[in-house]
Amino acid sequence: MTIRVATAADTHYADLLCQWYIESAKQRGTGIAKRDPEYVREKMRQGNSVIAFVDGELAGFCYIETFESGKFVANSGLVVNTELRKNGLGRAIKREIFRLSRTKYPNAKIFGITTSLAVMKINSDLGYKPVTFSELTTSEDFWKGCKSCKNFAILTENERKMCLCTGMVFDDINAPLPAVEIDEDAPAIPAEMQLPIVAPM
C-alpha cells in the first residue's frame, strides 16, 4: 500500500474517483454523491489531497477544503475502492490527510460532518470531538456542498442547526501528529510526493 500527496500527474484519475463517489453514495443510501472532476483535479494540483494505491492499482483518495481564510479545514471526499474495503485502507488514508491538514494549516480547526459510524470512529481516534453545528464554519461555500445530499431538505428545515449528520471538530493544535506508517514493501516515493514528516509540537 502506498499513500502519498496527489499531484498534477494524478489528474487522470479524477473521473474514476467521481464515479466512485456516486457508487458509494448509492450503496450507503445517503450522503453526498456528486463531485466535479475538475474540482478533484484542482485539489491534486494544489497538493491538497492524498491518493492511495495497492499493488499499483488506484485504491482511495481524500482531499482538503479550507474555509474562512483557513480558520476551518475539512477533510472531505474520503473514498475507497469497494474491492479493497475492510482492510484498514480508509483509516490509513484518513490518518494521512489529517497529518497533511495539520502540517499545512497548523492553527486551523479540522472539522467534518458524517453519517458514517466508521468515519466517526476514525475521527474519534484522531482526537475529534462531536459538536453542535453552531461550532462549525458558517461559510456558505461549505454548506452549499450539502445540496447534492438527499437529506438537504432536513438541513434547511432545521436552519442548519441539525441534520442526520454528526458534526465533529479537532482543535487541539498542541497534540502530537500521528506517526508516519511506512510500508517497507512499497516502491520508493519521490521526495516531492511524500507526506511531510513533522515532529510533535
Side-chain angles (χ1 to χ4, degrees), residues 182-187:
I182 299 175
D183 183 351
E184 295 181 354
D185 295 324

XYZ file of all heavy atoms in Angstrom, residues 182-187:
45
model
N 5.046 3.380 7.614
C 5.915 3.070 6.478
C 5.705 1.628 6.050
O 5.805 0.699 6.852
C 7.397 3.310 6.846
C 7.609 4.786 7.224
C 8.300 2.915 5.690
C 8.990 5.088 7.721
N 5.420 1.453 4.772
C 5.298 0.122 4.182
C 6.626 -0.206 3.496
O 6.953 0.336 2.453
C 4.152 0.116 3.164
C 3.923 -1.269 2.548
O 4.754 -2.163 2.793
O 2.924 -1.436 1.830
N 7.398 -1.091 4.110
C 8.737 -1.383 3.602
C 8.716 -2.070 2.236
O 9.705 -2.077 1.512
C 9.492 -2.251 4.617
C 9.761 -1.513 5.939
C 10.532 -2.370 6.910
O 10.753 -3.560 6.607
O 10.918 -1.857 7.972
N 7.574 -2.652 1.855
C 7.480 -3.335 0.574
C 7.033 -2.414 -0.555
O 7.041 -2.801 -1.717
C 6.489 -4.508 0.668
C 6.988 -5.573 1.631
O 8.213 -5.801 1.680
O 6.153 -6.170 2.330
N 6.631 -1.180 -0.198
C 6.142 -0.242 -1.215
C 7.320 0.350 -1.980
O 8.426 0.493 -1.452
C 5.340 0.876 -0.557
N 7.106 0.713 -3.250
C 8.184 1.350 -4.013
C 8.511 2.717 -3.452
O 7.690 3.352 -2.790
C 7.585 1.464 -5.427
C 6.105 1.446 -5.219
C 5.884 0.551 -4.034
